[in-house]
Amino acid sequence: MRENNLRIGIDLGGTKIEALLTDSAGNEIRRARVKTPPNSYSNILESIADLLSDLSVPPDLPVGIGMPGSVSPLTGHIRNANTTSLNGRPFQADLEKNLGRPVRLANDANCFTLSESKDGAAKNFSLVFGIILGTGVGGGISVNSNLIEGVNAISGEWGHNRMPNLTSRDSERKCYCGRTNCVETWLSGPGLSRTYETISKKKLPAEDIVKFFYKGDERAVEAVSRYFDQLADALSGVINILDPDVIVIGGGLSNIDEIYNEIPGRLERLIFSDYFETKILKAEHGDSSGVRGASWLW
Ligand SMILES: [Zn+2]
């Protein structure tokens, strides 16, 4: 299917669209990025065509695209995307018409998981749960570097499970999906900000809270400590069901290095086992995992 042993992946994010051309082994050849056009579906289609043209992608090379949300198996249209101009659109059909080449779409957390499974932190493991802790919370599952989609195409979407073990100090949080107390409302960057705000009565972005945490600020330490407890609580349910060999973590909050020391001990106490071998690893390809995973879709 691939011409000249090349692969092309595109990562469609809320702020930027990035394209990566690699050889068949995943080695980078060329890369380009543009800002995501706000509120315009047709401009997004046009930007993707421009990126392929900028990278001189051979005309018949199929393209993999990672994006927020997913394709509804019922309608073939996009749903659940926080880049809302995509929702309700027949994105794949429109892209194939516009680009004149075959297109595969996948959720961005699934692309992340595929990338880390193929040649990243999880490359030596079979059953992989990949998670993104960033503006949102996503997840994907792969077995021997093959993504598991699921009959409803929602495999790995732990971010919209309900956060377990909330206490009376934790007031209810509404999620954009219409539910309350989704894991995402606690474990995303904005979720950490809200936790910090309840402790300190001050609003700070997550990255500043993490900086204060490293300086030993008492309130930031308390917020991040609650974050670790909740991350372990939420992951323990996933481990009891899936029991993955490895959990790979990406997204902005994956850069809190204490996660990898603090979470295993908590999980060991929470899961239904007398033995805990699950590896908790930081993503190897960082911000590039989305676009790399998209290139592996063919
Ligand atoms: Zn939700």
Side-chain angles (χ1 to χ4, degrees), residues 7 11 13 22 39 48 68 92 115 121 199 213-214 229 280 293 297:
R7 296 175 183 279
D11 182 27
T22 73
N39 309 320
I48 290 172
Q92 180 171 5
S115 166
I199 295 166
F213 164 76
Y214 279 116
D229 287 340
I280 311 291
L297 289 173

Side-chain angles (χ1 to χ4, degrees), residues 158-162 173-185:
W158 73 307
H160 299 275
N161 286 353
R162 202 172 162 84
R173 297 185 181 182
K174 287 211 179 313
C175 184
Y176 79 89
C177 75
R179 294 166 187 81
T180 52
N181 286 328
C182 286
V183 163
E184 176 164 308
T185 67

Side-chain angles (χ1 to χ4, degrees), residues 22-255:
T22 73
D23 65 18
S24 59
N27 298 305
E28 177 168 342
I29 296 172
R30 287 190 291 278
R31 185 187 287 254
R33 63 168 68 175
V34 293
K35 279 188 181 164
T36 306
N39 309 320
S40 170
Y41 180 66
S42 59
N43 288 353
I44 287 176
L45 291 173
E46 203 173 304
S47 295
I48 290 172
D50 289 347
L51 280 169
L52 295 186
S53 154
D54 290 350
L55 292 180
S56 307
V57 176
D60 295 331
L61 192 68
V63 59
I65 300 185
M67 39 139 226
S70 62
V71 178
S72 164
L74 190 65
T75 63
H77 296 180
I78 304 295
R79 60 180 179 178
N80 300 341
N82 53 12
T83 301
T84 50
S85 59
L86 297 175
N87 286 328
R89 302 285 191 164
F91 192 38
Q92 180 171 5
D94 286 345
L95 281 166
E96 288 187 335
K97 195 165 82 183
N98 215 35
L99 302 174
R101 66 180 79 220
V103 171
R104 280 183 188 157
L105 299 176
N107 171 263
D108 43 19
N110 283 7
C111 288
F112 164 81
T113 304
L114 184 58
S115 166
E116 291 297 324
S117 304
K118 281 278 189 187
D119 62 357
K123 67 183 173 204
N124 295 322
F125 298 90
S126 171
L127 179 51
V128 178
F129 187 51
I131 66 176
I132 294 183
L133 302 173
T135 313
V137 171
I141 299 166
S142 72
V143 179
N144 300 330
S145 297
N146 294 305
L147 286 172
I148 304 298
E149 294 285 346
V151 70
N152 303 301
I154 54 164
S155 282
E157 291 286 8
W158 73 307
H160 299 275
N161 286 353
R162 202 172 162 84
M163 175 60 79
N165 299 335
L166 292 173
T167 67
S168 54
R169 76 176 180 208
D170 301 314
S171 55
E172 192 167 270
R173 297 185 181 182
K174 287 211 179 313
C175 184
Y176 79 89
C177 75
R179 294 166 187 81
T180 52
N181 286 328
C182 286
V183 163
E184 176 164 308
T185 67
W186 297 89
L187 296 184
S188 61
L192 175 60
S193 292
R194 287 184 69 177
T195 301
Y196 179 80
E197 193 182 348
T198 60
I199 295 166
S200 69
K201 312 298 174 208
K202 282 185 191 160
K203 284 189 182 187
L204 277 184
E207 55 181 313
D208 288 352
I209 297 164
V210 173
K211 278 183 201 154
F212 282 122
F213 164 76
Y214 279 116
K215 286 180 182 166
D217 175 271
E218 204 176 309
R219 289 162 303 181
V221 168
E222 171 63 19
V224 173
S225 167
R226 287 188 197 179
Y227 184 90
F228 290 158
D229 287 340
Q230 291 182 322
L231 178 57
D233 277 337
L235 285 177
S236 66
V238 173
I239 293 175
N240 278 351
I241 293 169
L242 188 64
D243 205 5
D245 301 319
V246 59
I247 296 173
V248 192
I249 308 180
L253 292 164
S254 70
N255 294 316

